[in-house]
């Protein structure tokens, strides 16, 4: 159902089809969030359902307003200004852009790591497609404001977290800020950023799922489980932060270049400085994952080395998410 809903939305031209795909998607991910039957998981599923239902309804409302005024149901021909505003807020709710970002860290924290991976990659795909298709008619000033505030809040709120899934949720919000700032000027760069973000996040989540770490404190002692994998996790995290010879620098570089071409150098400077906030918590994650040897080796239990060979998909994803730019 998840794949079906996603493919319906990304291949549709009619607003009602896009809406139906998003609804199928929402309903398909709910059992995956709530599968552990833990109260926190149930709470996360409820929060997710409420926000996504509200966002879908807003999207339907904006497309109906547009059809009412222009007689067009085509996604690419969204022209009425009110519809554009409502659609922007609906997509922001779907993606978790500031100011509609509060549900995302909570939901991610309540769901298991594999579902968290689905939520932060595949579930962002249909709204991203709609964003891409309507980007020429949305208001660039509003998008820029939302983007800069997303980068700011994603960085600031991630600083104080100890739960890894919440940190990754805030990093996702910051990345969405980077994608949104450029969508009005060069939507292809948004897609590039999105694909690379999916690669790096998938690598991170799958690695964490292998070593079964969900808190910073457990991450400190898991390096004995799979030392080489943890060393690669360091590089993947720095790539997510967007440090230069790694893959994550490609979208940042191109976006800053494009913004300067559009005479938006102040915005480019601002969002680059705000990504330093993200760099801080990625560095803390990387530090806890690889560089900390606990001070007294007597009082903590060394964990068993995982004897299974590393999953091929993790190997491919970590390699790609660190080495694309140098290659």
């Amino acid at each position: 159902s998840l794949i079906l809903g996603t493919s319906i939305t990304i291949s549709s031209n009619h607003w009602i089809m896009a809406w139906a795909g998003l609804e199928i998607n929402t309903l398909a991910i709910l059992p995956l969030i709530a599968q552990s039957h833990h109260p926190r998981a149930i709470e996360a599923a409820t929060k997710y359902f409420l926000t996504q239902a509200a966002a879908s309804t807003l999207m339907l409302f904006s497309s109906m307003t547009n059809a009412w005024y222009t007689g067009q149901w085509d996604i690419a021909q969204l022209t009425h200004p009110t519809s554009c505003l409502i659609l922007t807020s609906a997509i922001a709710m779907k993606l978790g852009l500031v100011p509609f970002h509060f549900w995302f860290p909570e939901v991610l924290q309540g769901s298991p790591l594999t579902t968290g991976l689905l939520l932060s990659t595949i579930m962002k795909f249909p709204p991203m497609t709609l964003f891409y298709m309507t980007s020429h008619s949305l208001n660039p000033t509003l998008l820029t404001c939302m983007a800069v505030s997303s980068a700011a809040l994603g960085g600031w709120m991630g600083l104080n977290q100890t739960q890894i899934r919440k940190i990754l949720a805030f990093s996702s919000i910051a990345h969405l800020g980077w994608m949104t700032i450029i969508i009005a000027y060069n939507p292809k760069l948004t897609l590039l950023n999105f694909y690379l973000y999916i690669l790096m996040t998938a690598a991170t989540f799958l690695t964490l799922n292998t070593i079964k770490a969900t808190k910073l404190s457990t991450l400190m002692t898991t390096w004995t489980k799979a030392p080489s994998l943890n060393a690669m996790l360091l590089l993947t995290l720095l790539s997510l932060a967007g440090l230069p010879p790694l893959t994550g620098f490609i979208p940042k570089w191109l976006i800053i270049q494009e913004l300067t071409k559009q005479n938006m150098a102040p915005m480019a400077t601002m969002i680059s400085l705000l990504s330093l906030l993200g760099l801080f918590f990625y560095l803390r994650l990387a530090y806890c994952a690889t560089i900390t040897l606990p001070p007294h080796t007597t009082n903590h239990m060394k964990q068993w080395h995982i004897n299974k060979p590393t999953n091929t998909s993790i190997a491919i994803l970590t390699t790609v998410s660190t080495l694309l730019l140098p290659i």
Side-chain angles (χ1 to χ4, degrees), residues 288-304:
C288 287
T290 50
I291 309 166
T292 11
L293 286 175
H296 323 290
T297 40
T298 46
N299 65 1
H300 90 283
M301 295 287 290
K302 280 256 195 298
Q303 302 206 14
W304 285 97

Side-chain angles (χ1 to χ4, degrees), residues 145 162-163 175 192 211 298 301 304 323 326:
C145 290
T162 55
Q163 298 285 347
H175 275 275
L192 172 79
I211 59 179
T298 46
M301 295 287 290
W304 285 97
L323 291 181

Side-chain angles (χ1 to χ4, degrees), residues 16-320:
I16 298 289
M17 284 297 282
W19 170 79
L22 287 171
E23 287 293 332
I24 294 174
N25 241 354
T26 304
L27 293 175
I29 195 95
L30 286 175
L32 287 175
I33 300 175
Q35 79 196 99
S36 65
H37 297 296
H38 190 277
R40 172 159 286 179
I42 306 292
E43 181 192 354
T46 315
K47 283 176 178 170
Y48 185 78
F49 173 72
L50 290 172
T51 46
Q52 298 299 310
S56 298
T57 317
L58 271 178
M59 212 194 79
L60 201 56
F61 179 53
S62 91
S63 53
M64 283 173 71
T65 313
N66 189 56
W68 181 257
Y69 278 102
T70 61
Q72 274 295 343
W73 278 106
D74 193 25
I75 293 184
Q77 299 185 6
L78 188 80
T79 46
H80 195 254
T82 317
S83 300
C84 294
L85 281 175
I86 299 173
L87 183 81
T88 310
S89 58
I91 287 182
M93 273 173 92
K94 278 273 175 210
L95 290 171
L97 271 169
V98 174
F100 307 106
H101 62 287
F102 296 101
W103 62 272
F104 190 52
E106 299 290 328
V107 170
L108 216 59
Q109 180 56 33
S111 49
L113 281 167
T114 37
T115 311
L117 170 62
L118 288 178
L119 277 172
S120 45
T121 55
I122 299 191
M123 298 305 287
K124 299 270 166 86
F125 200 43
M128 220 37 170
T129 320
L130 294 175
F131 215 10
Y132 178 79
M133 287 166 76
T134 53
S135 57
H136 53 85
S137 51
L138 301 179
N139 181 358
T141 322
L142 177 67
L143 288 178
T144 309
C145 290
M146 282 167 79
V148 172
S149 52
S150 290
L153 279 171
W156 264 314
M157 293 171 79
L159 294 181
N160 207 16
Q161 304 294 335
T162 55
Q163 298 285 347
I164 297 175
R165 282 167 295 187
K166 276 194 175 167
I167 294 181
L168 286 170
F170 287 118
S171 98
S172 176
I173 294 170
H175 275 275
L176 281 169
W178 278 90
M179 292 173 217
T180 314
I181 198 164
I182 200 66
I183 196 156
Y185 308 104
N186 194 342
K188 285 200 174 65
L189 278 183
T190 301
L191 283 190
L192 172 79
N193 193 344
F194 184 56
Y195 295 146
L196 292 178
Y197 164 74
I198 284 184
L199 281 176
M200 298 183 289
T201 312
T204 314
F205 266 111
L206 290 172
T207 306
L208 291 170
N209 191 37
T210 308
I211 59 179
K212 297 280 180 282
T214 53
K215 294 199 295 288
L216 283 180
S217 53
T218 52
L219 191 62
M220 284 188 188
T221 56
T222 48
W223 64 272
T224 46
K225 281 188 181 180
S228 52
L229 190 58
N230 263 22
M232 283 307 286
L233 179 63
L234 165 81
L235 288 176
T236 315
L237 285 166
L238 292 182
S239 181
L240 260 175
L243 285 188
L246 304 166
T247 306
F249 183 56
I250 304 176
K252 286 191 166 45
W253 181 16
L254 294 173
I255 285 173
I256 290 171
Q257 189 179 342
E258 183 63 33
L259 284 175
T260 345
K261 280 182 196 161
Q262 300 287 347
N263 292 331
M264 289 173 67
M267 283 301 149
T269 315
M270 215 160 127
I271 202 164
S272 314
L273 288 174
L274 287 171
S275 71
L276 290 175
L277 291 168
L279 175 64
F280 182 80
F281 59 74
Y282 290 123
L283 276 176
R284 186 164 58 196
L285 266 176
Y287 182 75
C288 287
T290 50
I291 309 166
T292 11
L293 286 175
H296 323 290
T297 40
T298 46
N299 65 1
H300 90 283
M301 295 287 290
K302 280 256 195 298
Q303 302 206 14
W304 285 97
H305 196 297
I306 298 175
N307 232 344
K308 300 194 295 283
T310 308
N311 194 333
T312 324
S313 57
I314 302 183
I316 295 171
L317 282 167
T318 40
T319 315
V320 168

